[in-house]
Structure formats: structure tokens, C-alpha cells
Amino acid sequence: MKQPVEISTELTRQEAELMLAELRSRYSQVLNDVWYADPFRLIPEGLCHGSILIAMPVMAAQKRLMGALTHSLRAVK
């Protein structure tokens, strides 16, 4: 069983928005780079993203962090 790590931080709205933009940019770049790479090229399109997240845990963590930042930014509007 995986041991979860909980992270708590306080950011200004500007810091959170900038971090989210940076994470989205990096995530998109890596996803575009690996989408057609040999290990994932023959995986059906509907399964490819999930396969990449399983193979690249850092991307899975980035995705969760982007979700948390998005949720937090919406909550403080």
C-alpha cells in the first residue's frame, strides 16, 4: 500500500496562478514529447494518457498538484 504524503502551503493568489501556469506548461511539454515515443506509440489513444501517468509518476504528481491548485483558486474567488 502506498503511503500518502500530505503537503500544506500558503501562496498568494498570484503565486498560485503562476505556479499553475508553469505546471501546465511543463506537463503539456512532457506529454507532447512522450505521447508518440516508442513505448506509448502503439497504445490506443483512450489508454495512452493513463499509461503515461503510470510509467511517469512525476507527471501523475503534477496532475494532482494542478488539480489541487485549480480547486483552491476556485474556492477563494
Side-chain angles (χ1 to χ4, degrees):
M1 182 178 192
K2 295 180 182 178
Q3 290 286 54
V5 174
E6 188 172 320
I7 299 169
S8 177
T9 188
E10 288 186 22
L11 303 170
T12 66
R13 179 167 197 80
Q14 181 183 20
E15 290 170 336
E17 288 172 346
L18 291 170
M19 172 154 304
L20 181 57
E22 178 69 17
L23 284 168
R24 284 180 175 158
S25 175
R26 288 178 186 235
Y27 186 88
S28 179
Q29 284 177 329
V30 173
L31 186 61
N32 286 333
D33 289 344
V34 299
W35 189 268
Y36 297 105
D38 287 342
F40 306 105
R41 184 177 26 215
L42 300 177
I43 296 175
E45 188 172 326
L47 303 175
C48 191
H49 190 230
S51 297
I52 291 169
L53 294 180
I54 290 168
M56 302 182 74
V58 70
M59 288 189 69
Q62 286 174 320
K63 188 170 189 280
R64 284 191 298 278
L65 184 54
M66 288 186 298
L69 283 167
T70 299
H71 175 76
S72 294
L73 285 166
R74 287 182 184 153
V76 296
K77 276 193 173 180

